[in-house]
Amino acid sequence: MTSTAVIPLTVSTGNLESYIHSVNQFPLLTQEEEQALAERLHRHNDVEAARQLVLSHLRVVVSIARSYAGYGLQQADLIQEGNIGLMKAVKRFDPSRGVRLFSFAVHWIKAEIHEFILKNWRLVRVATTKSQRKLFFNLRSMKSGFSALNEREAQDIAEQLGVKASDVMEMDTRLSGQDISLEPTEADDDNAQQAPIAYLADTRNEPTARLEQQAIAHLHGEGLIAALDTLDARSRHIVESRWLSDDSGATLHELAAEYGVSAERIRQIEQKALQKMRQQLIALVD
């Protein structure tokens, strides 16, 4: 691998297949190669070592992003968000812990994708608490089939996740995307280790998971306040009214009437404000 190669982190929706083909060309690292590169990065802040670690794991991001195809968002966007999580994982990876980078990076990749989905999938306004978020991201894999849940099935899932059965039924009606196979298909034989079944173990008490939870908690607390402080008064009011209110949140048309502009203009202001906040949150993590 030459030092002049560029890390393909920008994903074009129209060129997605080409991107996936490109990242699959980068060879997987052996444990010894990964350990040597990680030590170079950890001890000497070697940028070339970091680049090689990222390149060799871009296919992992693609595999994980595919498992979130049912949420109605562009695959290119999900992959791009996952790539951000991968870079954060590489930066924080400590080779002395004796785990492979793949196992460590999965938490950061999924956390970044989760945050992106929750910020952009407007139908899931109920996913505001920890238990509801857990329901949002686990309901598909817990269903026994494609049909709607009956009351008995909803109650069983509610007991396992610690939520109300009514919340399970409501979420089930919202999640109308395709179900994701837990097992790798024949077409995915080469990436069997990256199939969802490979990383769905309960890792809540692992040190890496705790670090992830602490980082997310910080972003939701002090980080969110700092991000809001970067906005002008109108943008902040729109974001707070849409996403941070105690009730269901204001609609674009309600805010458009309040400011005397079109709903599309409110949407543009909202998207620009959310992007600015996102950049602030990334800066805080880095």
Side-chain angles (χ1 to χ4, degrees), residues 128-166:
T128 55
T129 67
K130 182 178 180 180
S131 60
Q132 288 170 337
R133 289 183 179 215
K134 185 177 181 180
L135 169 61
F136 178 51
F137 287 110
N138 285 277
L139 181 56
R140 276 195 179 88
S141 61
M142 298 181 72
K143 289 180 63 176
S144 58
F146 295 97
S147 59
L149 294 172
N150 58 42
E151 292 185 6
R152 175 69 177 277
E153 292 171 331
Q155 185 60 45
D156 289 342
I157 293 175
E159 291 175 358
Q160 292 181 58
L161 297 180
V163 297
K164 298 178 181 178
S166 58

mmCIF file of all heavy atoms in Angstrom, residues 128-166:
data_model
loop_
_atom_site.group_PDB
_atom_site.id
_atom_site.type_symbol
_atom_site.label_atom_id
_atom_site.label_comp_id
_atom_site.label_asym_id
_atom_site.label_seq_id
_atom_site.Cartn_x
_atom_site.Cartn_y
_atom_site.Cartn_z
ATOM 1 N N THR A 128 -36.743 8.860 22.673
ATOM 2 C CA THR A 128 -36.066 9.928 23.402
ATOM 3 C C THR A 128 -35.407 9.446 24.679
ATOM 4 O O THR A 128 -34.534 10.109 25.209
ATOM 5 C CB THR A 128 -37.065 11.052 23.748
ATOM 6 O OG1 THR A 128 -38.165 10.467 24.468
ATOM 7 C CG2 THR A 128 -37.588 11.704 22.475
ATOM 8 N N THR A 129 -35.832 8.307 25.212
ATOM 9 C CA THR A 129 -35.214 7.775 26.424
ATOM 10 C C THR A 129 -34.304 6.614 26.056
ATOM 11 O O THR A 129 -34.362 6.074 24.953
ATOM 12 C CB THR A 129 -36.276 7.283 27.414
ATOM 13 O OG1 THR A 129 -36.943 6.126 26.847
ATOM 14 C CG2 THR A 129 -37.314 8.365 27.691
ATOM 15 N N LYS A 130 -33.468 6.229 27.006
ATOM 16 C CA LYS A 130 -32.533 5.128 26.765
ATOM 17 C C LYS A 130 -33.264 3.845 26.419
ATOM 18 O O LYS A 130 -32.888 3.129 25.488
ATOM 19 C CB LYS A 130 -31.658 4.921 28.004
ATOM 20 C CG LYS A 130 -30.609 3.826 27.852
ATOM 21 C CD LYS A 130 -29.763 3.715 29.094
ATOM 22 C CE LYS A 130 -28.721 2.615 28.954
ATOM 23 N NZ LYS A 130 -27.884 2.496 30.179
ATOM 24 N N SER A 131 -34.342 3.544 27.147
ATOM 25 C CA SER A 131 -35.081 2.301 26.896
ATOM 26 C C SER A 131 -35.776 2.333 25.542
ATOM 27 O O SER A 131 -35.853 1.320 24.846
ATOM 28 C CB SER A 131 -36.107 2.064 28.007
ATOM 29 O OG SER A 131 -37.040 3.123 28.086
ATOM 30 N N GLN A 132 -36.279 3.502 25.141
ATOM 31 C CA GLN A 132 -36.951 3.607 23.847
ATOM 32 C C GLN A 132 -35.964 3.508 22.691
ATOM 33 O O GLN A 132 -36.265 2.950 21.643
ATOM 34 C CB GLN A 132 -37.734 4.922 23.778
ATOM 35 C CG GLN A 132 -38.974 4.915 24.675
ATOM 36 C CD GLN A 132 -39.609 6.289 24.800
ATOM 37 O OE1 GLN A 132 -38.955 7.309 24.591
ATOM 38 N NE2 GLN A 132 -40.877 6.328 25.149
ATOM 39 N N ARG A 133 -34.770 4.050 22.894
ATOM 40 C CA ARG A 133 -33.749 3.909 21.865
ATOM 41 C C ARG A 133 -33.352 2.442 21.713
ATOM 42 O O ARG A 133 -33.135 1.950 20.608
ATOM 43 C CB ARG A 133 -32.516 4.748 22.228
ATOM 44 C CG ARG A 133 -32.741 6.244 22.098
ATOM 45 C CD ARG A 133 -31.473 7.009 22.385
ATOM 46 N NE ARG A 133 -31.696 8.439 22.243
ATOM 47 C CZ ARG A 133 -30.789 9.290 21.779
ATOM 48 N NH1 ARG A 133 -29.622 8.841 21.404
ATOM 49 N NH2 ARG A 133 -31.054 10.566 21.679
ATOM 50 N N LYS A 134 -33.243 1.767 22.844
ATOM 51 C CA LYS A 134 -32.924 0.339 22.795
ATOM 52 C C LYS A 134 -34.009 -0.411 22.025
ATOM 53 O O LYS A 134 -33.708 -1.300 21.225
ATOM 54 C CB LYS A 134 -32.799 -0.213 24.224
ATOM 55 C CG LYS A 134 -32.361 -1.666 24.294
ATOM 56 C CD LYS A 134 -32.192 -2.107 25.740
ATOM 57 C CE LYS A 134 -31.742 -3.553 25.824
ATOM 58 N NZ LYS A 134 -31.576 -3.992 27.244
ATOM 59 N N LEU A 135 -35.266 -0.050 22.242
ATOM 60 C CA LEU A 135 -36.375 -0.667 21.524
ATOM 61 C C LEU A 135 -36.266 -0.377 20.034
ATOM 62 O O LEU A 135 -36.432 -1.271 19.192
ATOM 63 C CB LEU A 135 -37.702 -0.142 22.073
ATOM 64 C CG LEU A 135 -38.979 -0.476 21.269
ATOM 65 C CD1 LEU A 135 -39.168 -1.984 21.190
ATOM 66 C CD2 LEU A 135 -40.190 0.192 21.914
ATOM 67 N N PHE A 136 -35.982 0.854 19.699
ATOM 68 C CA PHE A 136 -35.887 1.279 18.303
ATOM 69 C C PHE A 136 -34.875 0.443 17.534
ATOM 70 O O PHE A 136 -35.124 -0.010 16.420
ATOM 71 C CB PHE A 136 -35.505 2.758 18.270
ATOM 72 C CG PHE A 136 -35.316 3.318 16.883
ATOM 73 C CD1 PHE A 136 -36.272 3.157 15.899
ATOM 74 C CD2 PHE A 136 -34.173 4.034 16.575
ATOM 75 C CE1 PHE A 136 -36.106 3.691 14.632
ATOM 76 C CE2 PHE A 136 -33.987 4.569 15.312
ATOM 77 C CZ PHE A 136 -34.955 4.402 14.346
ATOM 78 N N PHE A 137 -33.702 0.202 18.133
ATOM 79 C CA PHE A 137 -32.625 -0.477 17.425
ATOM 80 C C PHE A 137 -32.622 -1.993 17.611
ATOM 81 O O PHE A 137 -31.791 -2.680 17.034
ATOM 82 C CB PHE A 137 -31.271 0.097 17.856
ATOM 83 C CG PHE A 137 -31.007 1.469 17.307
ATOM 84 C CD1 PHE A 137 -31.006 2.573 18.139
ATOM 85 C CD2 PHE A 137 -30.793 1.662 15.959
ATOM 86 C CE1 PHE A 137 -30.776 3.841 17.628
ATOM 87 C CE2 PHE A 137 -30.570 2.913 15.442
ATOM 88 C CZ PHE A 137 -30.552 4.012 16.279
ATOM 89 N N ASN A 138 -33.530 -2.547 18.417
ATOM 90 C CA ASN A 138 -33.535 -3.990 18.637
ATOM 91 C C ASN A 138 -34.811 -4.691 18.203
ATOM 92 O O ASN A 138 -34.840 -5.923 18.114
ATOM 93 C CB ASN A 138 -33.294 -4.302 20.121
ATOM 94 C CG ASN A 138 -31.848 -4.104 20.526
ATOM 95 O OD1 ASN A 138 -31.002 -4.971 20.342
ATOM 96 N ND2 ASN A 138 -31.558 -2.929 21.071
ATOM 97 N N LEU A 139 -35.866 -3.931 17.918
ATOM 98 C CA LEU A 139 -37.159 -4.546 17.652
ATOM 99 C C LEU A 139 -37.111 -5.480 16.445
ATOM 100 O O LEU A 139 -37.666 -6.579 16.480
ATOM 101 C CB LEU A 139 -38.223 -3.465 17.439
ATOM 102 C CG LEU A 139 -39.653 -3.978 17.172
ATOM 103 C CD1 LEU A 139 -40.110 -4.899 18.290
ATOM 104 C CD2 LEU A 139 -40.619 -2.806 17.013
ATOM 105 N N ARG A 140 -36.469 -5.064 15.367
ATOM 106 C CA ARG A 140 -36.450 -5.898 14.168
ATOM 107 C C ARG A 140 -35.847 -7.275 14.438
ATOM 108 O O ARG A 140 -36.378 -8.293 14.027
ATOM 109 C CB ARG A 140 -35.655 -5.209 13.068
ATOM 110 C CG ARG A 140 -36.462 -4.191 12.271
ATOM 111 C CD ARG A 140 -35.730 -3.821 10.992
ATOM 112 N NE ARG A 140 -36.501 -2.866 10.226
ATOM 113 C CZ ARG A 140 -36.428 -1.560 10.391
ATOM 114 N NH1 ARG A 140 -35.635 -1.075 11.318
ATOM 115 N NH2 ARG A 140 -37.153 -0.737 9.660
ATOM 116 N N SER A 141 -34.712 -7.310 15.118
ATOM 117 C CA SER A 141 -34.044 -8.588 15.338
ATOM 118 C C SER A 141 -34.806 -9.472 16.320
ATOM 119 O O SER A 141 -34.624 -10.689 16.331
ATOM 120 C CB SER A 141 -32.620 -8.355 15.859
ATOM 121 O OG SER A 141 -32.639 -7.667 17.101
ATOM 122 N N MET A 142 -35.677 -8.884 17.136
ATOM 123 C CA MET A 142 -36.412 -9.650 18.134
ATOM 124 C C MET A 142 -37.729 -10.197 17.600
ATOM 125 O O MET A 142 -38.332 -11.079 18.214
ATOM 126 C CB MET A 142 -36.665 -8.790 19.377
ATOM 127 C CG MET A 142 -35.385 -8.337 20.079
ATOM 128 S SD MET A 142 -35.698 -7.342 21.555
ATOM 129 C CE MET A 142 -36.294 -8.613 22.667
ATOM 130 N N LYS A 143 -38.188 -9.699 16.459
ATOM 131 C CA LYS A 143 -39.428 -10.197 15.874
ATOM 132 C C LYS A 143 -39.191 -11.565 15.242
ATOM 133 O O LYS A 143 -38.135 -11.819 14.666
ATOM 134 C CB LYS A 143 -39.949 -9.223 14.824
ATOM 135 C CG LYS A 143 -40.485 -7.926 15.388
ATOM 136 C CD LYS A 143 -40.978 -7.005 14.288
ATOM 137 C CE LYS A 143 -42.142 -7.611 13.527
ATOM 138 N NZ LYS A 143 -42.695 -6.677 12.525
ATOM 139 N N SER A 144 -40.182 -12.422 15.341
ATOM 140 C CA SER A 144 -40.043 -13.778 14.812
ATOM 141 C C SER A 144 -40.403 -13.877 13.330
ATOM 142 O O SER A 144 -40.158 -14.889 12.699
ATOM 143 C CB SER A 144 -40.941 -14.747 15.598
ATOM 144 O OG SER A 144 -42.298 -14.342 15.538
ATOM 145 N N GLY A 145 -40.996 -12.838 12.768
ATOM 146 C CA GLY A 145 -41.392 -12.883 11.361
ATOM 147 C C GLY A 145 -41.606 -11.494 10.806
ATOM 148 O O GLY A 145 -41.246 -10.491 11.434
ATOM 149 N N PHE A 146 -42.211 -11.418 9.621
ATOM 150 C CA PHE A 146 -42.408 -10.135 8.950
ATOM 151 C C PHE A 146 -43.732 -9.472 9.303
ATOM 152 O O PHE A 146 -43.912 -8.285 9.083
ATOM 153 C CB PHE A 146 -42.352 -10.335 7.428
ATOM 154 C CG PHE A 146 -41.015 -10.790 6.933
ATOM 155 C CD1 PHE A 146 -40.779 -12.132 6.695
ATOM 156 C CD2 PHE A 146 -39.993 -9.884 6.715
ATOM 157 C CE1 PHE A 146 -39.544 -12.561 6.236
ATOM 158 C CE2 PHE A 146 -38.759 -10.298 6.266
ATOM 159 C CZ PHE A 146 -38.528 -11.651 6.025
ATOM 160 N N SER A 147 -44.667 -10.250 9.839
ATOM 161 C CA SER A 147 -45.997 -9.718 10.119
ATOM 162 C C SER A 147 -45.991 -8.845 11.369
ATOM 163 O O SER A 147 -45.040 -8.855 12.157
ATOM 164 C CB SER A 147 -46.989 -10.872 10.302
ATOM 165 O OG SER A 147 -46.582 -11.714 11.367
ATOM 166 N N ALA A 148 -47.078 -8.085 11.549
ATOM 167 C CA ALA A 148 -47.186 -7.216 12.715
ATOM 168 C C ALA A 148 -47.242 -8.046 13.997
ATOM 169 O O ALA A 148 -47.699 -9.189 14.009
ATOM 170 C CB ALA A 148 -48.444 -6.358 12.592
ATOM 171 N N LEU A 149 -46.772 -7.470 15.077
ATOM 172 C CA LEU A 149 -46.764 -8.164 16.363
ATOM 173 C C LEU A 149 -48.173 -8.315 16.914
ATOM 174 O O LEU A 149 -48.998 -7.413 16.774
ATOM 175 C CB LEU A 149 -45.911 -7.388 17.369
ATOM 176 C CG LEU A 149 -44.410 -7.294 17.105
ATOM 177 C CD1 LEU A 149 -43.779 -6.320 18.100
ATOM 178 C CD2 LEU A 149 -43.746 -8.655 17.212
ATOM 179 N N ASN A 150 -48.442 -9.444 17.563
ATOM 180 C CA ASN A 150 -49.677 -9.561 18.312
ATOM 181 C C ASN A 150 -49.417 -9.133 19.751
ATOM 182 O O ASN A 150 -48.268 -8.847 20.132
ATOM 183 C CB ASN A 150 -50.245 -10.992 18.243
ATOM 184 C CG ASN A 150 -49.253 -12.033 18.776
ATOM 185 O OD1 ASN A 150 -48.588 -11.815 19.796
ATOM 186 N ND2 ASN A 150 -49.158 -13.167 18.092
ATOM 187 N N GLU A 151 -50.437 -9.087 20.581
ATOM 188 C CA GLU A 151 -50.296 -8.570 21.942
ATOM 189 C C GLU A 151 -49.337 -9.416 22.773
ATOM 190 O O GLU A 151 -48.565 -8.879 23.583
ATOM 191 C CB GLU A 151 -51.669 -8.512 22.620
ATOM 192 C CG GLU A 151 -52.606 -7.473 22.001
ATOM 193 C CD GLU A 151 -53.906 -7.368 22.764
ATOM 194 O OE1 GLU A 151 -54.030 -8.010 23.827
ATOM 195 O OE2 GLU A 151 -54.807 -6.639 22.300
ATOM 196 N N ARG A 152 -49.387 -10.738 22.608
ATOM 197 C CA ARG A 152 -48.505 -11.631 23.366
ATOM 198 C C ARG A 152 -47.037 -11.390 23.000
ATOM 199 O O ARG A 152 -46.169 -11.279 23.882
ATOM 200 C CB ARG A 152 -48.882 -13.087 23.083
ATOM 201 C CG ARG A 152 -47.948 -14.122 23.715
ATOM 202 C CD ARG A 152 -48.078 -14.143 25.227
ATOM 203 N NE ARG A 152 -47.238 -15.179 25.808
ATOM 204 C CZ ARG A 152 -47.592 -16.464 25.905
ATOM 205 N NH1 ARG A 152 -48.779 -16.855 25.446
ATOM 206 N NH2 ARG A 152 -46.777 -17.345 26.461
ATOM 207 N N GLU A 153 -46.756 -11.290 21.704
ATOM 208 C CA GLU A 153 -45.386 -11.045 21.259
ATOM 209 C C GLU A 153 -44.884 -9.677 21.742
ATOM 210 O O GLU A 153 -43.740 -9.535 22.179
ATOM 211 C CB GLU A 153 -45.321 -11.122 19.738
ATOM 212 C CG GLU A 153 -45.544 -12.517 19.178
ATOM 213 C CD GLU A 153 -45.695 -12.522 17.669
ATOM 214 O OE1 GLU A 153 -46.172 -11.492 17.117
ATOM 215 O OE2 GLU A 153 -45.339 -13.523 17.046
ATOM 216 N N ALA A 154 -45.752 -8.676 21.656
ATOM 217 C CA ALA A 154 -45.370 -7.330 22.103
ATOM 218 C C ALA A 154 -45.070 -7.319 23.595
ATOM 219 O O ALA A 154 -44.114 -6.661 24.048
ATOM 220 C CB ALA A 154 -46.492 -6.343 21.778
ATOM 221 N N GLN A 155 -45.849 -8.046 24.379
ATOM 222 C CA GLN A 155 -45.631 -8.098 25.820
ATOM 223 C C GLN A 155 -44.304 -8.779 26.143
ATOM 224 O O GLN A 155 -43.558 -8.336 27.031
ATOM 225 C CB GLN A 155 -46.779 -8.855 26.498
ATOM 226 C CG GLN A 155 -46.704 -8.870 28.022
ATOM 227 C CD GLN A 155 -46.734 -7.464 28.609
ATOM 228 O OE1 GLN A 155 -47.537 -6.630 28.206
ATOM 229 N NE2 GLN A 155 -45.843 -7.193 29.565
ATOM 230 N N ASP A 156 -43.983 -9.858 25.421
ATOM 231 C CA ASP A 156 -42.717 -10.562 25.648
ATOM 232 C C ASP A 156 -41.525 -9.656 25.367
ATOM 233 O O ASP A 156 -40.558 -9.604 26.141
ATOM 234 C CB ASP A 156 -42.644 -11.809 24.749
ATOM 235 C CG ASP A 156 -43.600 -12.906 25.197
ATOM 236 O OD1 ASP A 156 -44.054 -12.842 26.358
ATOM 237 O OD2 ASP A 156 -43.888 -13.810 24.391
ATOM 238 N N ILE A 157 -41.584 -8.924 24.256
ATOM 239 C CA ILE A 157 -40.494 -8.014 23.903
ATOM 240 C C ILE A 157 -40.401 -6.877 24.905
ATOM 241 O O ILE A 157 -39.303 -6.462 25.307
ATOM 242 C CB ILE A 157 -40.693 -7.471 22.476
ATOM 243 C CG1 ILE A 157 -40.537 -8.602 21.454
ATOM 244 C CG2 ILE A 157 -39.702 -6.342 22.173
ATOM 245 C CD1 ILE A 157 -40.825 -8.183 20.029
ATOM 246 N N ALA A 158 -41.549 -6.366 25.333
ATOM 247 C CA ALA A 158 -41.571 -5.267 26.308
ATOM 248 C C ALA A 158 -40.884 -5.685 27.612
ATOM 249 O O ALA A 158 -40.124 -4.907 28.201
ATOM 250 C CB ALA A 158 -43.012 -4.842 26.576
ATOM 251 N N GLU A 159 -41.145 -6.911 28.056
ATOM 252 C CA GLU A 159 -40.538 -7.393 29.294
ATOM 253 C C GLU A 159 -39.019 -7.536 29.152
ATOM 254 O O GLU A 159 -38.271 -7.244 30.079
ATOM 255 C CB GLU A 159 -41.159 -8.730 29.682
ATOM 256 C CG GLU A 159 -42.628 -8.613 30.128
ATOM 257 C CD GLU A 159 -43.259 -9.966 30.403
ATOM 258 O OE1 GLU A 159 -42.560 -10.998 30.212
ATOM 259 O OE2 GLU A 159 -44.438 -10.000 30.808
ATOM 260 N N GLN A 160 -38.575 -7.969 27.989
ATOM 261 C CA GLN A 160 -37.138 -8.146 27.772
ATOM 262 C C GLN A 160 -36.397 -6.815 27.725
ATOM 263 O O GLN A 160 -35.260 -6.709 28.188
ATOM 264 C CB GLN A 160 -36.900 -8.899 26.464
ATOM 265 C CG GLN A 160 -37.363 -10.345 26.474
ATOM 266 C CD GLN A 160 -37.064 -11.030 25.148
ATOM 267 O OE1 GLN A 160 -35.924 -11.098 24.701
ATOM 268 N NE2 GLN A 160 -38.113 -11.542 24.497
ATOM 269 N N LEU A 161 -37.038 -5.786 27.165
ATOM 270 C CA LEU A 161 -36.374 -4.494 26.977
ATOM 271 C C LEU A 161 -36.726 -3.466 28.040
ATOM 272 O O LEU A 161 -36.179 -2.365 28.042
ATOM 273 C CB LEU A 161 -36.713 -3.936 25.590
ATOM 274 C CG LEU A 161 -36.244 -4.771 24.401
ATOM 275 C CD1 LEU A 161 -36.652 -4.107 23.089
ATOM 276 C CD2 LEU A 161 -34.732 -4.948 24.439
ATOM 277 N N GLY A 162 -37.650 -3.814 28.922
ATOM 278 C CA GLY A 162 -38.011 -2.885 29.988
ATOM 279 C C GLY A 162 -38.796 -1.682 29.535
ATOM 280 O O GLY A 162 -38.583 -0.565 30.025
ATOM 281 N N VAL A 163 -39.709 -1.884 28.573
ATOM 282 C CA VAL A 163 -40.561 -0.794 28.090
ATOM 283 C C VAL A 163 -42.009 -1.248 28.155
ATOM 284 O O VAL A 163 -42.309 -2.391 28.501
ATOM 285 C CB VAL A 163 -40.199 -0.391 26.641
ATOM 286 C CG1 VAL A 163 -38.788 0.138 26.572
ATOM 287 C CG2 VAL A 163 -40.363 -1.591 25.695
ATOM 288 N N LYS A 164 -42.926 -0.349 27.820
ATOM 289 C CA LYS A 164 -44.344 -0.688 27.817
ATOM 290 C C LYS A 164 -44.706 -1.456 26.551
ATOM 291 O O LYS A 164 -44.149 -1.200 25.473
ATOM 292 C CB LYS A 164 -45.191 0.584 27.891
ATOM 293 C CG LYS A 164 -44.991 1.403 29.158
ATOM 294 C CD LYS A 164 -45.835 2.661 29.101
ATOM 295 C CE LYS A 164 -45.631 3.523 30.338
ATOM 296 N NZ LYS A 164 -46.428 4.775 30.270
ATOM 297 N N ALA A 165 -45.654 -2.360 26.675
ATOM 298 C CA ALA A 165 -46.119 -3.109 25.503
ATOM 299 C C ALA A 165 -46.701 -2.166 24.460
ATOM 300 O O ALA A 165 -46.557 -2.393 23.248
ATOM 301 C CB ALA A 165 -47.159 -4.150 25.919
ATOM 302 N N SER A 166 -47.351 -1.104 24.918
ATOM 303 C CA SER A 166 -47.930 -0.131 23.977
ATOM 304 C C SER A 166 -46.827 0.560 23.171
ATOM 305 O O SER A 166 -47.021 0.885 21.993
ATOM 306 C CB SER A 166 -48.755 0.910 24.734
ATOM 307 O OG SER A 166 -47.956 1.586 25.702
#
